[in-house]
Amino acid sequence: MSAALSVDTDALEHAAADYREAAALLAPLARAPLAAGLYHRLVGGPPKVAEVLSVLQHRAEEAHAVANRLSDLGEQTADRLIDSARRFDEAEELCTTGGR
Amino acid sequence: MAHITSSWAATYCLEDPARTADPIFAADSSSADEARHILTSISGATLEADHPLNRARRTVAGAWSAEQPCAAATRLVAAHADTAHTCAAIADVAQRVVHVIAAAHSAARQAYADADAAILAHDLTHYRQELGTYPGWDLPTMVITAAERERVDSGRQAVIARLNVALFATYRDLDSGAADAGRSLASAPWESLPAAARPAVGHPADDQNQANLALLRRDLSDPAGPRYALALAVDQALRKAEAAGQTAQLLGYEPTDPPGQGSVAIAIGDVDAATSVSVVVPGIGNSPATIGESIPSAGLLNDEVIAQAGAAQGTSATVLWWGYDIPLSWPDDVAPAPEGSSRAHHLSDTAMATSAFGAVQAGKRLTAFTASLRRVMPSTSRLTLIGHSWGSLVVSQAALRTDRNVRVDDVVLAASPGVGFQLESADDYVAVDADHVYVVALPKDPVTMSLTDKMADAPFPLNGALRKKIFGVDPGPFGPDPADESFGANVIDVPSEQGSILPISLSVHALTNYLSGESLQAIAAVAAGNGPEIRLRQPN
């Protein structure tokens, strides 16, 4: 099978650094614990107010989980790019040396 | 709210303005403000991440000729942009809610200020007295004329009427403002993510566990701090579970709420993976500081649920929810003391054990916890609420207030002295149908007998009359007995593991006894979804 694949591994490492930078922007928010969490503050007031406050708390928790996930994805993408760059380099070396 | 218009309303048999004002003032915008802050921060950070992400996308597109890496990089950019947009939109709603609540507070305060001004302007605080004579004696005295009575009474009633109108309008505005905001909150932030990136595939219960562990570590790092003693007790409980080879998740940790006791929830088992989750609510005399004592029982319940569901069916988690203001907890409490006299606190904590009045508030807390737990559990998992002793009152009151959409599967009331007030039968529950309500009342358990009602009322002989005045009939200090045939629950027919030659025995009542032997098997069967197969007590 022939494949016209071109890869610039140095550039991939630069991209990995960018992904880490993006992840780092979210990390302080994502890693900070949400106060109380499952112990949602008991929300008082008329039923509709209590309901909307409860949903808002939940949405904030979900946003926190999403930030966590995006930060993880940034780190994971960076790791995979570095790993891919290393494997491409190894493969290239293997091709260059002909397996010797 | 203590205002003179409330006592006047009682005198003139009018609607008490405080009944409308109290919920308005109880609406606390601080949680909305906190949510707004979190959402705004996340929106800002995801927007900021757009620059390095786009740079990376361009680099990957130029450096790697295959399509897939470039497509993945593009999706990640889009996910950040969508998250930023969604979070900003929800933050706007939160801001609106903060404004709506602040406006309602301001309007309610203004209504009371207007009432105060009217009271002052029309001199309605007291009846004006005129100089008269005492009949039969030639002595001057102060009298109130009928005209003065009429002037003051009608003036006060007019003030109350105007105040009620203003407060009703404020309540209506608050309610409709909240409803409008609620309609804008239909979509969740994670819905903007590609399916593969959604946090729902993660471990929300463990995320919560990690967040609470961070708070626990904070408190453990300050041995001189007021929260240290409870943190240490919780840490020891978690270590005890770990030493027994169990997974433990700290799902709730609030050292200062309720004051003097704190609240703690520890799951034994992995809630993220559990196909069956049981919440155990303890009775009087328990304290979050001694939650570790119940960890072995939670482990036994888990093992039995798994055995009954079949190992292939999945796993179980048991949540020890020491999350309400538990009566008679004070002898073991180590949490930061509440303000005021400790003697008064101990007395009220003790008195609460003798009736079901405190179970309403406790039930509301359990309702909030149950709804939160359902959100982090796998959506298809079973959820069972198990209350022991006074904890059964709490479960009962929660079942009265928990929406069907929370999806509580079954309720177990064990060693119950009653189900609390405002219900007559299992048909009254909102969370479940009557055929999903199970009762275990072991023979010789004195708490399940009428003897306990008599003992609870003994120090308060007027309580019966008071309850009759409030409810029309006297349902007893703890409300209807769920083991009574007329209540309409499934009463499980099991013997006590703890033998006794006496006609009654307090050791039979223990949670450890209810979570052992055939009683444990029956409760586990309910949690595993095998309730219909349990042997029930036959009606007399």
Side-chain angles (χ1 to χ4, degrees), chain A residues 6-8 11 18-19 21 36-41 45 58-59 62 69, chain B residues 23 30 34 55 63 65 73 185-186 188 197 208 251-252 254 321 323 372 375:
Chain A
S6 88
V7 178
D8 177 348
D18 283 334
Y19 279 120
E21 185 186 331
L38 268 181
Y39 268 87
H40 280 277
R41 184 173 305 158
H58 188 46
R59 292 287 180 256
E62 287 173 337
R69 186 77 183 123
Chain B
S30 60
E34 206 173 292
R55 213 163 48 225
S65 61
L185 290 173
Q208 201 53 62
L251 295 187
E254 273 282 345
W321 185 74
S372 305
R375 287 197 286 261

PDB file of all heavy atoms in Angstrom, chain A residues 6-8 11 18-19 21 36-41 45 58-59 62 69, chain B residues 23 30 34 55 63 65 73 185-186 188 197 208 251-252 254 321 323 372 375:
ATOM      1  N   SER A   6       2.755  13.080   4.774  1.00  0.00           N
ATOM      2  CA  SER A   6       3.901  13.906   5.183  1.00  0.00           C
ATOM      3  C   SER A   6       3.639  14.457   6.572  1.00  0.00           C
ATOM      4  O   SER A   6       2.516  14.912   6.869  1.00  0.00           O
ATOM      5  CB  SER A   6       4.112  15.033   4.167  1.00  0.00           C
ATOM      6  OG  SER A   6       3.351  16.142   4.508  1.00  0.00           O
ATOM      7  N   VAL A   7       4.630  14.342   7.406  1.00  0.00           N
ATOM      8  CA  VAL A   7       4.472  14.785   8.797  1.00  0.00           C
ATOM      9  C   VAL A   7       5.688  15.591   9.218  1.00  0.00           C
ATOM     10  O   VAL A   7       6.830  15.169   9.006  1.00  0.00           O
ATOM     11  CB  VAL A   7       4.311  13.571   9.747  1.00  0.00           C
ATOM     12  CG1 VAL A   7       4.201  14.044  11.183  1.00  0.00           C
ATOM     13  CG2 VAL A   7       3.118  12.737   9.360  1.00  0.00           C
ATOM     14  N   ASP A   8       5.427  16.768   9.787  1.00  0.00           N
ATOM     15  CA  ASP A   8       6.503  17.597  10.333  1.00  0.00           C
ATOM     16  C   ASP A   8       6.456  17.438  11.856  1.00  0.00           C
ATOM     17  O   ASP A   8       5.626  18.046  12.533  1.00  0.00           O
ATOM     18  CB  ASP A   8       6.259  19.053   9.917  1.00  0.00           C
ATOM     19  CG  ASP A   8       7.300  20.005  10.501  1.00  0.00           C
ATOM     20  OD1 ASP A   8       8.063  19.577  11.403  1.00  0.00           O
ATOM     21  OD2 ASP A   8       7.318  21.178  10.074  1.00  0.00           O
ATOM     22  N   ALA A  11       6.854  20.496  14.114  1.00  0.00           N
ATOM     23  CA  ALA A  11       5.640  21.323  14.180  1.00  0.00           C
ATOM     24  C   ALA A  11       4.611  20.690  15.117  1.00  0.00           C
ATOM     25  O   ALA A  11       3.896  21.390  15.840  1.00  0.00           O
ATOM     26  CB  ALA A  11       5.050  21.493  12.786  1.00  0.00           C
ATOM     27  N   ASP A  18       0.993  24.280  22.286  1.00  0.00           N
ATOM     28  CA  ASP A  18      -0.194  25.136  22.243  1.00  0.00           C
ATOM     29  C   ASP A  18      -1.369  24.484  22.970  1.00  0.00           C
ATOM     30  O   ASP A  18      -2.134  25.152  23.663  1.00  0.00           O
ATOM     31  CB  ASP A  18      -0.583  25.437  20.790  1.00  0.00           C
ATOM     32  CG  ASP A  18       0.339  26.487  20.174  1.00  0.00           C
ATOM     33  OD1 ASP A  18       0.900  27.296  20.947  1.00  0.00           O
ATOM     34  OD2 ASP A  18       0.509  26.479  18.938  1.00  0.00           O
ATOM     35  N   TYR A  19      -1.510  23.166  22.775  1.00  0.00           N
ATOM     36  CA  TYR A  19      -2.609  22.479  23.475  1.00  0.00           C
ATOM     37  C   TYR A  19      -2.405  22.535  24.985  1.00  0.00           C
ATOM     38  O   TYR A  19      -3.366  22.697  25.746  1.00  0.00           O
ATOM     39  CB  TYR A  19      -2.717  21.021  23.002  1.00  0.00           C
ATOM     40  CG  TYR A  19      -3.461  20.908  21.690  1.00  0.00           C
ATOM     41  CD1 TYR A  19      -2.854  20.368  20.560  1.00  0.00           C
ATOM     42  CD2 TYR A  19      -4.775  21.362  21.583  1.00  0.00           C
ATOM     43  CE1 TYR A  19      -3.526  20.288  19.360  1.00  0.00           C
ATOM     44  CE2 TYR A  19      -5.451  21.299  20.376  1.00  0.00           C
ATOM     45  CZ  TYR A  19      -4.830  20.759  19.271  1.00  0.00           C
ATOM     46  OH  TYR A  19      -5.506  20.703  18.083  1.00  0.00           O
ATOM     47  N   GLU A  21      -0.904  24.876  26.558  1.00  0.00           N
ATOM     48  CA  GLU A  21      -1.212  26.258  26.966  1.00  0.00           C
ATOM     49  C   GLU A  21      -2.727  26.440  27.130  1.00  0.00           C
ATOM     50  O   GLU A  21      -3.197  27.031  28.116  1.00  0.00           O
ATOM     51  CB  GLU A  21      -0.677  27.235  25.912  1.00  0.00           C
ATOM     52  CG  GLU A  21      -0.834  28.695  26.315  1.00  0.00           C
ATOM     53  CD  GLU A  21      -0.414  29.647  25.180  1.00  0.00           C
ATOM     54  OE1 GLU A  21       0.455  29.283  24.369  1.00  0.00           O
ATOM     55  OE2 GLU A  21      -0.982  30.749  25.126  1.00  0.00           O
ATOM     56  N   ALA A  36     -19.049  22.477  48.535  1.00  0.00           N
ATOM     57  CA  ALA A  36     -20.202  21.677  48.967  1.00  0.00           C
ATOM     58  C   ALA A  36     -20.671  20.648  47.942  1.00  0.00           C
ATOM     59  O   ALA A  36     -20.854  19.495  48.270  1.00  0.00           O
ATOM     60  CB  ALA A  36     -21.363  22.568  49.373  1.00  0.00           C
ATOM     61  N   GLY A  37     -20.789  21.050  46.690  1.00  0.00           N
ATOM     62  CA  GLY A  37     -21.136  20.100  45.654  1.00  0.00           C
ATOM     63  C   GLY A  37     -22.476  19.434  45.899  1.00  0.00           C
ATOM     64  O   GLY A  37     -23.493  20.104  45.901  1.00  0.00           O
ATOM     65  N   LEU A  38     -22.453  18.134  46.124  1.00  0.00           N
ATOM     66  CA  LEU A  38     -23.706  17.408  46.261  1.00  0.00           C
ATOM     67  C   LEU A  38     -24.562  17.980  47.368  1.00  0.00           C
ATOM     68  O   LEU A  38     -25.755  17.810  47.381  1.00  0.00           O
ATOM     69  CB  LEU A  38     -23.430  15.941  46.558  1.00  0.00           C
ATOM     70  CG  LEU A  38     -23.344  15.057  45.336  1.00  0.00           C
ATOM     71  CD1 LEU A  38     -23.097  13.626  45.751  1.00  0.00           C
ATOM     72  CD2 LEU A  38     -24.609  15.127  44.535  1.00  0.00           C
ATOM     73  N   TYR A  39     -23.913  18.608  48.333  1.00  0.00           N
ATOM     74  CA  TYR A  39     -24.696  19.282  49.347  1.00  0.00           C
ATOM     75  C   TYR A  39     -25.080  20.631  48.825  1.00  0.00           C
ATOM     76  O   TYR A  39     -24.614  21.654  49.283  1.00  0.00           O
ATOM     77  CB  TYR A  39     -23.912  19.418  50.650  1.00  0.00           C
ATOM     78  CG  TYR A  39     -24.199  18.279  51.519  1.00  0.00           C
ATOM     79  CD1 TYR A  39     -23.478  17.116  51.429  1.00  0.00           C
ATOM     80  CD2 TYR A  39     -25.284  18.325  52.362  1.00  0.00           C
ATOM     81  CE1 TYR A  39     -23.797  16.025  52.179  1.00  0.00           C
ATOM     82  CE2 TYR A  39     -25.614  17.240  53.120  1.00  0.00           C
ATOM     83  CZ  TYR A  39     -24.859  16.086  53.018  1.00  0.00           C
ATOM     84  OH  TYR A  39     -25.197  15.012  53.764  1.00  0.00           O
ATOM     85  N   HIS A  40     -25.894  20.640  47.824  1.00  0.00           N
ATOM     86  CA  HIS A  40     -26.346  21.910  47.277  1.00  0.00           C
ATOM     87  C   HIS A  40     -26.867  22.759  48.414  1.00  0.00           C
ATOM     88  O   HIS A  40     -27.542  22.253  49.295  1.00  0.00           O
ATOM     89  CB  HIS A  40     -27.487  21.682  46.293  1.00  0.00           C
ATOM     90  CG  HIS A  40     -26.999  21.257  44.967  1.00  0.00           C
ATOM     91  ND1 HIS A  40     -26.552  22.128  44.029  1.00  0.00           N
ATOM     92  CD2 HIS A  40     -26.865  20.043  44.437  1.00  0.00           C
ATOM     93  CE1 HIS A  40     -26.179  21.468  42.963  1.00  0.00           C
ATOM     94  NE2 HIS A  40     -26.349  20.200  43.188  1.00  0.00           N
ATOM     95  N   ARG A  41     -26.527  24.004  48.362  1.00  0.00           N
ATOM     96  CA  ARG A  41     -27.120  24.906  49.341  1.00  0.00           C
ATOM     97  C   ARG A  41     -28.643  24.750  49.257  1.00  0.00           C
ATOM     98  O   ARG A  41     -29.200  24.692  48.168  1.00  0.00           O
ATOM     99  CB  ARG A  41     -26.716  26.331  48.985  1.00  0.00           C
ATOM    100  CG  ARG A  41     -27.187  27.341  49.970  1.00  0.00           C
ATOM    101  CD  ARG A  41     -26.585  28.669  49.610  1.00  0.00           C
ATOM    102  NE  ARG A  41     -25.134  28.585  49.531  1.00  0.00           N
ATOM    103  CZ  ARG A  41     -24.394  29.439  48.851  1.00  0.00           C
ATOM    104  NH1 ARG A  41     -24.949  30.423  48.205  1.00  0.00           N
ATOM    105  NH2 ARG A  41     -23.083  29.310  48.820  1.00  0.00           N
ATOM    106  N   GLY A  45     -37.365  30.161  49.160  1.00  0.00           N
ATOM    107  CA  GLY A  45     -38.144  31.052  48.320  1.00  0.00           C
ATOM    108  C   GLY A  45     -39.304  30.337  47.666  1.00  0.00           C
ATOM    109  O   GLY A  45     -39.516  29.151  47.892  1.00  0.00           O
ATOM    110  N   HIS A  58     -26.832  23.383  39.336  1.00  0.00           N
ATOM    111  CA  HIS A  58     -26.506  22.192  38.552  1.00  0.00           C
ATOM    112  C   HIS A  58     -25.761  22.567  37.277  1.00  0.00           C
ATOM    113  O   HIS A  58     -24.793  21.916  36.889  1.00  0.00           O
ATOM    114  CB  HIS A  58     -27.804  21.453  38.250  1.00  0.00           C
ATOM    115  CG  HIS A  58     -27.581  20.125  37.607  1.00  0.00           C
ATOM    116  ND1 HIS A  58     -26.638  19.229  38.065  1.00  0.00           N
ATOM    117  CD2 HIS A  58     -28.158  19.539  36.533  1.00  0.00           C
ATOM    118  CE1 HIS A  58     -26.657  18.153  37.303  1.00  0.00           C
ATOM    119  NE2 HIS A  58     -27.554  18.319  36.361  1.00  0.00           N
ATOM    120  N   ARG A  59     -26.231  23.642  36.624  1.00  0.00           N
ATOM    121  CA  ARG A  59     -25.567  24.066  35.384  1.00  0.00           C
ATOM    122  C   ARG A  59     -24.118  24.500  35.674  1.00  0.00           C
ATOM    123  O   ARG A  59     -23.215  24.250  34.881  1.00  0.00           O
ATOM    124  CB  ARG A  59     -26.335  25.230  34.750  1.00  0.00           C
ATOM    125  CG  ARG A  59     -27.700  24.838  34.208  1.00  0.00           C
ATOM    126  CD  ARG A  59     -27.558  24.016  32.932  1.00  0.00           C
ATOM    127  NE  ARG A  59     -28.838  23.617  32.392  1.00  0.00           N
ATOM    128  CZ  ARG A  59     -29.370  22.398  32.484  1.00  0.00           C
ATOM    129  NH1 ARG A  59     -28.701  21.433  33.118  1.00  0.00           N
ATOM    130  NH2 ARG A  59     -30.529  22.103  31.950  1.00  0.00           N
ATOM    131  N   GLU A  62     -22.158  21.412  35.986  1.00  0.00           N
ATOM    132  CA  GLU A  62     -21.921  20.819  34.667  1.00  0.00           C
ATOM    133  C   GLU A  62     -20.836  21.587  33.917  1.00  0.00           C
ATOM    134  O   GLU A  62     -19.967  20.987  33.272  1.00  0.00           O
ATOM    135  CB  GLU A  62     -23.219  20.834  33.856  1.00  0.00           C
ATOM    136  CG  GLU A  62     -24.229  19.819  34.322  1.00  0.00           C
ATOM    137  CD  GLU A  62     -25.568  19.968  33.614  1.00  0.00           C
ATOM    138  OE1 GLU A  62     -25.868  21.069  33.116  1.00  0.00           O
ATOM    139  OE2 GLU A  62     -26.302  19.001  33.569  1.00  0.00           O
ATOM    140  N   ARG A  69     -13.178  18.506  31.592  1.00  0.00           N
ATOM    141  CA  ARG A  69     -13.047  17.605  30.435  1.00  0.00           C
ATOM    142  C   ARG A  69     -12.230  18.276  29.324  1.00  0.00           C
ATOM    143  O   ARG A  69     -11.377  17.640  28.707  1.00  0.00           O
ATOM    144  CB  ARG A  69     -14.457  17.270  29.931  1.00  0.00           C
ATOM    145  CG  ARG A  69     -14.490  16.254  28.851  1.00  0.00           C
ATOM    146  CD  ARG A  69     -14.280  14.857  29.413  1.00  0.00           C
ATOM    147  NE  ARG A  69     -14.241  13.882  28.339  1.00  0.00           N
ATOM    148  CZ  ARG A  69     -13.223  13.070  28.130  1.00  0.00           C
ATOM    149  NH1 ARG A  69     -12.170  13.090  28.922  1.00  0.00           N
ATOM    150  NH2 ARG A  69     -13.258  12.211  27.140  1.00  0.00           N
TER     151      ARG A  69
ATOM    152  N   PRO B  23     -41.353  33.797  52.105  1.00  0.00           N
ATOM    153  CA  PRO B  23     -40.704  33.135  50.966  1.00  0.00           C
ATOM    154  C   PRO B  23     -39.946  34.111  50.070  1.00  0.00           C
ATOM    155  O   PRO B  23     -38.932  33.741  49.475  1.00  0.00           O
ATOM    156  CB  PRO B  23     -41.863  32.490  50.201  1.00  0.00           C
ATOM    157  CG  PRO B  23     -43.059  32.596  51.039  1.00  0.00           C
ATOM    158  CD  PRO B  23     -42.805  33.585  52.129  1.00  0.00           C
ATOM    159  N   SER B  30     -27.505  34.429  46.474  1.00  0.00           N
ATOM    160  CA  SER B  30     -26.050  34.218  46.507  1.00  0.00           C
ATOM    161  C   SER B  30     -25.639  32.979  45.717  1.00  0.00           C
ATOM    162  O   SER B  30     -24.567  32.946  45.119  1.00  0.00           O
ATOM    163  CB  SER B  30     -25.543  34.134  47.949  1.00  0.00           C
ATOM    164  OG  SER B  30     -26.158  33.077  48.614  1.00  0.00           O
ATOM    165  N   GLU B  34     -23.050  32.935  42.726  1.00  0.00           N
ATOM    166  CA  GLU B  34     -21.897  32.020  42.702  1.00  0.00           C
ATOM    167  C   GLU B  34     -21.855  31.268  41.364  1.00  0.00           C
ATOM    168  O   GLU B  34     -20.796  31.127  40.743  1.00  0.00           O
ATOM    169  CB  GLU B  34     -22.082  31.021  43.840  1.00  0.00           C
ATOM    170  CG  GLU B  34     -20.817  30.417  44.378  1.00  0.00           C
ATOM    171  CD  GLU B  34     -21.141  29.576  45.609  1.00  0.00           C
ATOM    172  OE1 GLU B  34     -21.525  30.149  46.646  1.00  0.00           O
ATOM    173  OE2 GLU B  34     -21.032  28.357  45.506  1.00  0.00           O
ATOM    174  N   ARG B  55      -4.142  28.248  16.844  1.00  0.00           N
ATOM    175  CA  ARG B  55      -2.738  28.152  16.394  1.00  0.00           C
ATOM    176  C   ARG B  55      -2.369  26.685  16.199  1.00  0.00           C
ATOM    177  O   ARG B  55      -1.782  26.293  15.192  1.00  0.00           O
ATOM    178  CB  ARG B  55      -1.842  28.807  17.459  1.00  0.00           C
ATOM    179  CG  ARG B  55      -0.628  29.474  16.913  1.00  0.00           C
ATOM    180  CD  ARG B  55      -0.010  30.438  17.899  1.00  0.00           C
ATOM    181  NE  ARG B  55       0.147  29.893  19.228  1.00  0.00           N
ATOM    182  CZ  ARG B  55      -0.181  30.546  20.355  1.00  0.00           C
ATOM    183  NH1 ARG B  55      -0.693  31.758  20.284  1.00  0.00           N
ATOM    184  NH2 ARG B  55       0.002  30.001  21.526  1.00  0.00           N
ATOM    185  N   ALA B  63       1.220  20.460   9.358  1.00  0.00           N
ATOM    186  CA  ALA B  63       2.301  19.522   9.670  1.00  0.00           C
ATOM    187  C   ALA B  63       1.935  18.081   9.402  1.00  0.00           C
ATOM    188  O   ALA B  63       2.798  17.214   9.332  1.00  0.00           O
ATOM    189  CB  ALA B  63       2.697  19.677  11.144  1.00  0.00           C
ATOM    190  N   SER B  65      -0.429  15.636   7.013  1.00  0.00           N
ATOM    191  CA  SER B  65      -1.248  15.707   5.807  1.00  0.00           C
ATOM    192  C   SER B  65      -2.528  14.881   5.896  1.00  0.00           C
ATOM    193  O   SER B  65      -3.406  15.028   5.052  1.00  0.00           O
ATOM    194  CB  SER B  65      -0.420  15.255   4.595  1.00  0.00           C
ATOM    195  OG  SER B  65      -0.010  13.916   4.774  1.00  0.00           O
ATOM    196  N   ALA B  73      -8.666  18.502  15.575  1.00  0.00           N
ATOM    197  CA  ALA B  73      -8.243  19.814  16.095  1.00  0.00           C
ATOM    198  C   ALA B  73      -9.350  20.847  15.880  1.00  0.00           C
ATOM    199  O   ALA B  73      -9.596  21.695  16.744  1.00  0.00           O
ATOM    200  CB  ALA B  73      -6.962  20.255  15.393  1.00  0.00           C
ATOM    201  N   LEU B 185     -32.971  27.872  30.694  1.00  0.00           N
ATOM    202  CA  LEU B 185     -31.910  27.007  31.209  1.00  0.00           C
ATOM    203  C   LEU B 185     -32.043  25.570  30.733  1.00  0.00           C
ATOM    204  O   LEU B 185     -31.486  24.654  31.327  1.00  0.00           O
ATOM    205  CB  LEU B 185     -31.934  27.016  32.746  1.00  0.00           C
ATOM    206  CG  LEU B 185     -31.501  28.315  33.402  1.00  0.00           C
ATOM    207  CD1 LEU B 185     -31.736  28.261  34.904  1.00  0.00           C
ATOM    208  CD2 LEU B 185     -30.033  28.587  33.116  1.00  0.00           C
ATOM    209  N   ALA B 186     -32.816  25.393  29.669  1.00  0.00           N
ATOM    210  CA  ALA B 186     -33.101  24.025  29.250  1.00  0.00           C
ATOM    211  C   ALA B 186     -31.852  23.277  28.801  1.00  0.00           C
ATOM    212  O   ALA B 186     -31.718  22.082  29.033  1.00  0.00           O
ATOM    213  CB  ALA B 186     -34.133  24.045  28.138  1.00  0.00           C
ATOM    214  N   ALA B 188     -27.917  22.142  28.698  1.00  0.00           N
ATOM    215  CA  ALA B 188     -26.777  21.999  29.606  1.00  0.00           C
ATOM    216  C   ALA B 188     -25.479  22.307  28.863  1.00  0.00           C
ATOM    217  O   ALA B 188     -25.402  22.125  27.649  1.00  0.00           O
ATOM    218  CB  ALA B 188     -26.735  20.589  30.156  1.00  0.00           C
ATOM    219  N   ALA B 197     -16.633  13.728  23.842  1.00  0.00           N
ATOM    220  CA  ALA B 197     -15.941  14.582  24.820  1.00  0.00           C
ATOM    221  C   ALA B 197     -16.813  14.930  26.019  1.00  0.00           C
ATOM    222  O   ALA B 197     -16.386  15.630  26.913  1.00  0.00           O
ATOM    223  CB  ALA B 197     -15.488  15.871  24.129  1.00  0.00           C
ATOM    224  N   GLN B 208     -16.965  14.523  42.463  1.00  0.00           N
ATOM    225  CA  GLN B 208     -17.491  15.118  43.688  1.00  0.00           C
ATOM    226  C   GLN B 208     -16.691  14.671  44.897  1.00  0.00           C
ATOM    227  O   GLN B 208     -16.392  15.459  45.790  1.00  0.00           O
ATOM    228  CB  GLN B 208     -18.956  14.678  43.831  1.00  0.00           C
ATOM    229  CG  GLN B 208     -19.768  15.557  44.718  1.00  0.00           C
ATOM    230  CD  GLN B 208     -19.655  16.999  44.288  1.00  0.00           C
ATOM    231  OE1 GLN B 208     -20.041  17.334  43.182  1.00  0.00           O
ATOM    232  NE2 GLN B 208     -19.106  17.833  45.129  1.00  0.00           N
ATOM    233  N   LEU B 251     -19.253  11.902  49.371  1.00  0.00           N
ATOM    234  CA  LEU B 251     -20.196  12.615  48.506  1.00  0.00           C
ATOM    235  C   LEU B 251     -20.701  13.907  49.131  1.00  0.00           C
ATOM    236  O   LEU B 251     -21.257  14.755  48.450  1.00  0.00           O
ATOM    237  CB  LEU B 251     -21.381  11.719  48.161  1.00  0.00           C
ATOM    238  CG  LEU B 251     -21.079  10.495  47.321  1.00  0.00           C
ATOM    239  CD1 LEU B 251     -22.360   9.803  46.915  1.00  0.00           C
ATOM    240  CD2 LEU B 251     -20.273  10.852  46.081  1.00  0.00           C
ATOM    241  N   GLY B 252     -20.548  14.024  50.441  1.00  0.00           N
ATOM    242  CA  GLY B 252     -20.992  15.252  51.097  1.00  0.00           C
ATOM    243  C   GLY B 252     -20.131  15.533  52.310  1.00  0.00           C
ATOM    244  O   GLY B 252     -19.783  14.623  53.067  1.00  0.00           O
ATOM    245  N   GLU B 254     -19.932  18.877  54.976  1.00  0.00           N
ATOM    246  CA  GLU B 254     -20.292  20.247  55.371  1.00  0.00           C
ATOM    247  C   GLU B 254     -20.078  20.376  56.874  1.00  0.00           C
ATOM    248  O   GLU B 254     -20.985  20.078  57.657  1.00  0.00           O
ATOM    249  CB  GLU B 254     -21.769  20.512  55.047  1.00  0.00           C
ATOM    250  CG  GLU B 254     -22.024  21.007  53.651  1.00  0.00           C
ATOM    251  CD  GLU B 254     -21.702  22.475  53.487  1.00  0.00           C
ATOM    252  OE1 GLU B 254     -21.554  23.171  54.514  1.00  0.00           O
ATOM    253  OE2 GLU B 254     -21.586  22.928  52.344  1.00  0.00           O
ATOM    254  N   TRP B 321     -26.018   8.564  54.618  1.00  0.00           N
ATOM    255  CA  TRP B 321     -26.354  10.006  54.550  1.00  0.00           C
ATOM    256  C   TRP B 321     -26.629  10.529  55.952  1.00  0.00           C
ATOM    257  O   TRP B 321     -27.734  10.402  56.460  1.00  0.00           O
ATOM    258  CB  TRP B 321     -27.560  10.233  53.643  1.00  0.00           C
ATOM    259  CG  TRP B 321     -27.875  11.676  53.430  1.00  0.00           C
ATOM    260  CD1 TRP B 321     -27.184  12.559  52.657  1.00  0.00           C
ATOM    261  CD2 TRP B 321     -28.959  12.425  53.991  1.00  0.00           C
ATOM    262  NE1 TRP B 321     -27.766  13.806  52.710  1.00  0.00           N
ATOM    263  CE2 TRP B 321     -28.854  13.752  53.523  1.00  0.00           C
ATOM    264  CE3 TRP B 321     -30.014  12.099  54.849  1.00  0.00           C
ATOM    265  CZ2 TRP B 321     -29.757  14.750  53.873  1.00  0.00           C
ATOM    266  CZ3 TRP B 321     -30.908  13.103  55.201  1.00  0.00           C
ATOM    267  CH2 TRP B 321     -30.776  14.406  54.713  1.00  0.00           C
ATOM    268  N   GLY B 323     -26.931  13.509  56.882  1.00  0.00           N
ATOM    269  CA  GLY B 323     -26.998  14.842  56.283  1.00  0.00           C
ATOM    270  C   GLY B 323     -28.061  15.756  56.833  1.00  0.00           C
ATOM    271  O   GLY B 323     -28.271  16.839  56.294  1.00  0.00           O
ATOM    272  N   SER B 372     -29.792  15.564  43.772  1.00  0.00           N
ATOM    273  CA  SER B 372     -28.392  15.753  43.363  1.00  0.00           C
ATOM    274  C   SER B 372     -27.730  14.413  43.076  1.00  0.00           C
ATOM    275  O   SER B 372     -26.971  14.277  42.122  1.00  0.00           O
ATOM    276  CB  SER B 372     -27.619  16.472  44.463  1.00  0.00           C
ATOM    277  OG  SER B 372     -28.244  17.666  44.785  1.00  0.00           O
ATOM    278  N   ARG B 375     -28.582  12.951  39.767  1.00  0.00           N
ATOM    279  CA  ARG B 375     -27.920  13.585  38.631  1.00  0.00           C
ATOM    280  C   ARG B 375     -26.530  13.025  38.381  1.00  0.00           C
ATOM    281  O   ARG B 375     -26.049  13.069  37.255  1.00  0.00           O
ATOM    282  CB  ARG B 375     -27.847  15.099  38.844  1.00  0.00           C
ATOM    283  CG  ARG B 375     -29.200  15.789  38.687  1.00  0.00           C
ATOM    284  CD  ARG B 375     -29.028  17.284  38.494  1.00  0.00           C
ATOM    285  NE  ARG B 375     -28.662  17.948  39.716  1.00  0.00           N
ATOM    286  CZ  ARG B 375     -29.508  18.593  40.504  1.00  0.00           C
ATOM    287  NH1 ARG B 375     -30.790  18.636  40.197  1.00  0.00           N
ATOM    288  NH2 ARG B 375     -29.100  19.191  41.600  1.00  0.00           N
TER     289      ARG B 375
END
